[in-house]
Amino acid sequence: MSPRTLQTLDAASLVDVMERFAEALREHRDELNSLNVFPVPDGDTGTNMLLTQEAVVRALQPLRGAGLSEVGAAVTKASLMGARGNSGVILSQVLRGLSAVLCAHPAPDGRCLADALREASREARAAVARPQPGTVLTVMEAAAVAATGACEAGAGLAGIARAALEAAARAVEDTPRLLPELRRAGVVDAGGRGALLLFDALASVLTGEPRSVAVGPMGPVGDGHGSEMAGSLRFTHEVMYLLEASDAAVAGLRETLARIGDSLVVVGGGGLFNVHVHTNDTEAALAAGRAAGTPRDARVEDLREQVGERCQAGQARAVQVAEQRVGLVAVAEGAGLAELFASLGAVVVAGGPGHNPSVEEIVAAVDATGLPDVVVLPNHRNVVPAAERAAAASDGRAVRVIPTRSIPAGLAAAAAFNPLGEPDDVVRDMAGASRAAAAGELAVAEREAETPAGSVRPGQWLGIVDGEVAVAGEDPAAVAARLVGALRRPGHEILTLLVGAGATADEAAGVRASIQAVAGDLEVEVHAGGQDRHPYLVGLE
């Protein structure tokens, strides 16, 4: 039977879809990376999706003659363990949903494919803390709706796949209308464009036709956007726990938690989920978990809590390794940064902007600590999802992720690390130190853009705070001084300057002198971080 007349989907066809999707991502990687909504070089959506999908393809290589259930299990596990960055984590959820439905049937037909696409859309939305229109979620939903409509109209596998592809293509083109950041940058959503390639691979296999989505025009630099998990100050407590529960029970849990808080994240599957919410009713959040299943490793933190004393952690570092109770894993790139984190007791995972580590690499570092309780510091917003997946996938260990979104925040947390402490106390102190730290970056603009600091041109220096351009100018020393002014708050005592690999000696000396001139009574520490993407990182604590 030719692919054009397939009435059911077999395991070999699903493997073909996964391989053609990987081929498409290889061809489109630079294009996806270049779809930027931010004027600095931080685009890695294409790279993260490709590395995640290549992990899937590697896992499928020995399974050419296997059945659907075995192929589906391999896709789910490999995408989870290989997920990198926000885009990779969302992709792993898409593949989980797709495989869960398709591979539960011995001979999936058109109805099953439509159901699988709906489940993939739901799983993708579940992976995002604050869903927005105009993103990959919009593209997934449009494809799922079109697939269902085609199925109800009597279409077979090929017709349903074509309908999903066409709807996804329209949705991608519509993303700039729905998301102002895309409209201002003049690009479509990078994650949505990547999802389009999955539907193209699916349609190609089921119709017997070549893939149809050509490499598009390059965008400005790189995507730089993603899911944000920062919470609202309206809620005073953070509740976190691992939950053993059924998928059906978790659906109800999400609804309950959404009513009592925000910053809601519930990800996982196969009976184990990671739950996180900010709320004013901690007991209700815990009770909701107990009603849904069996919570474990529950943690409640006061978001208003002040930083604990740092000297206790410093003294604790002199103890023998045999007495250590809690391990530490930190993600950092650059020889200097790796050395700093290692000196504070961390097992270091190489990674950062544009080079996000996989879930598997983080799990390996967790295992390398050899301890039952481990704290993970992702140190970049795009690494947080993979770190949380690694925590859920670390069998036999209680792994806590402190969602540090910058290297300075991670260093502040690591400085408060007490390897002898009670795990809950250690996490509380480290999280408090991280929250009290202020972080900024100096980078060079690579394209024109409208920012909160006004219009910027290529070559200008940018001072970035919380993902937004706070100051801009021609002289890095002057921009650095203004950045410190934007970051400084009462109570700060230490200013840390981390010099990147690309900074020249004269330029770095000027930046340092400028910062010291405005530091006043702050203690200034300067380290050679060796990081690639940002010439200078600034932290205050």
Side-chain angles (χ1 to χ4, degrees):
M1 184 178 292
S2 74
R4 292 179 184 276
T5 58
L6 277 176
Q7 298 301 309
T8 60
L9 182 70
D10 59 17
S13 296
L14 182 57
V15 172
D16 285 342
V17 171
M18 294 297 105
E19 291 181 344
R20 293 191 195 187
F21 180 37
E23 291 171 0
L25 286 170
R26 292 186 195 103
E27 293 175 8
H28 289 257
R29 175 173 56 181
D30 291 342
E31 174 203 348
L32 298 181
N33 285 345
S34 75
L35 298 177
N36 186 38
V37 296
F38 203 57
V40 295
D42 196 20
D44 53 7
T45 293
T47 298
N48 287 335
M49 293 185 77
L50 174 59
L51 291 174
T52 302
Q53 186 60 22
E54 284 184 334
V56 172
V57 171
R58 285 195 300 272
L60 293 177
Q61 284 177 352
L63 300 180
R64 266 291 173 180
L68 265 173
S69 60
E70 191 174 357
V71 168
V75 170
T76 297
K77 182 178 180 180
S79 62
L80 170 66
M81 301 304 289
R84 297 174 185 253
N86 290 327
S87 53
V89 167
I90 293 172
L91 174 58
S92 74
Q93 291 291 94
V94 168
L95 297 180
R96 173 196 290 274
L98 193 68
S99 299
V101 177
L102 286 178
C103 300
H105 297 270
D109 57 8
R111 169 61 66 181
C112 188
L113 176 59
D115 291 345
L117 293 180
R118 283 202 305 273
E119 181 63 17
S121 178
R122 284 194 292 266
E123 287 280 4
R125 184 166 292 273
V128 177
R130 293 202 300 264
Q132 294 187 77
T135 66
V136 60
L137 304 181
T138 302
V139 176
M140 290 300 305
E141 184 175 7
V145 169
T148 299
C151 178
E152 292 174 348
L157 282 172
I160 291 170
R162 282 198 189 96
L165 173 60
E166 291 167 1
R170 292 191 296 270
V172 169
E173 293 305 311
D174 201 37
T175 55
R177 181 183 66 82
L178 299 174
L179 199 59
E181 292 90 339
L182 297 173
R183 185 166 61 252
R184 286 194 294 268
V187 297
V188 298
D189 180 70
R193 178 78 172 166
L196 176 64
L197 302 179
L198 173 59
F199 296 116
D200 193 26
L202 180 66
S204 173
V205 170
L206 294 181
T207 64
E209 299 170 357
R211 288 188 285 109
S212 61
V213 178
V215 176
M218 299 294 286
V221 179
D223 87 307
H225 68 284
S227 303
E228 299 296 335
M229 293 186 230
S232 166
L233 295 178
R234 293 185 298 120
F235 296 101
T236 59
H237 286 79
E238 181 180 43
V239 179
M240 297 161 282
Y241 47 85
L242 291 177
L243 180 70
E244 296 174 353
S246 67
D247 290 352
V250 167
L253 173 68
R254 287 193 180 96
E255 295 178 3
T256 300
L257 295 180
R259 289 195 295 268
I260 64 171
D262 75 351
S263 291
L264 175 61
V265 180
V266 182
V267 296
L272 183 63
F273 298 83
N274 198 320
V275 180
H276 170 284
V277 67
H278 288 184
T279 182
N280 293 326
D281 193 342
T282 58
E283 180 51 40
L286 293 169
R290 291 191 292 269
T294 304
R296 55 186 176 89
D297 298 331
R299 290 99 71 197
V300 177
E301 296 185 8
D302 189 334
L303 297 174
R304 303 162 300 182
E305 190 170 4
Q306 297 299 311
V307 178
E309 293 295 326
R310 295 175 58 190
C311 60
Q312 179 184 1
Q315 294 167 354
R317 286 187 179 73
V319 303
Q320 297 297 315
V321 173
E323 299 174 321
Q324 187 170 345
R325 299 183 60 182
V326 183
L328 178 63
V329 170
V331 177
E333 194 159 43
L337 294 180
E339 184 177 348
L340 280 173
F341 279 106
S343 73
L344 295 170
V347 174
V348 180
V349 180
H355 180 208
N356 300 142
S358 69
V359 172
E360 189 171 17
E361 288 169 333
I362 298 173
V363 169
V366 167
D367 290 342
T369 68
L371 293 164
D373 290 274
V374 181
V375 179
V376 178
L377 303 174
N379 299 332
H380 192 277
R381 63 183 181 273
N382 286 344
V383 181
V384 171
E388 291 177 337
R389 290 298 185 83
S394 296
D395 294 333
R397 302 183 196 278
V399 182
R400 332 287 185 91
V401 177
I402 298 175
T404 48
R405 292 157 47 84
S406 68
I407 288 292
L411 286 172
F417 172 57
N418 178 6
L420 290 183
E422 291 288 340
D424 289 346
D425 294 339
V426 172
V427 171
R428 184 188 64 243
D429 291 344
M430 293 178 69
S434 170
R435 289 193 297 269
E441 308 157 359
L442 263 70
V444 180
E446 293 199 353
R447 69 173 181 88
E448 293 182 357
E450 293 297 325
T451 76
S455 300
V456 299
R457 304 183 307 277
Q460 280 191 305
W461 283 86
L462 309 178
I464 302 163
V465 180
D466 292 332
E468 297 282 0
V469 176
V471 295
E474 307 297 332
D475 178 28
V479 171
R482 293 167 58 199
L483 177 61
V484 170
L487 291 170
R488 189 169 185 179
R489 297 292 182 270
H492 284 155
E493 299 176 352
I494 300 173
L495 187 156
T496 302
L497 174 66
L498 301 166
V499 181
T504 66
D506 290 344
E507 179 188 271
V511 170
R512 177 175 184 171
S514 178
I515 284 178
Q516 288 178 321
V518 299
D521 59 353
L522 292 174
E523 178 184 346
V524 178
E525 298 180 358
V526 181
H527 300 280
Q531 68 274 9
D532 287 331
R533 290 292 184 103
H534 297 95
Y536 304 96
L537 301 175
V538 178
L540 289 96
E541 52 185 301

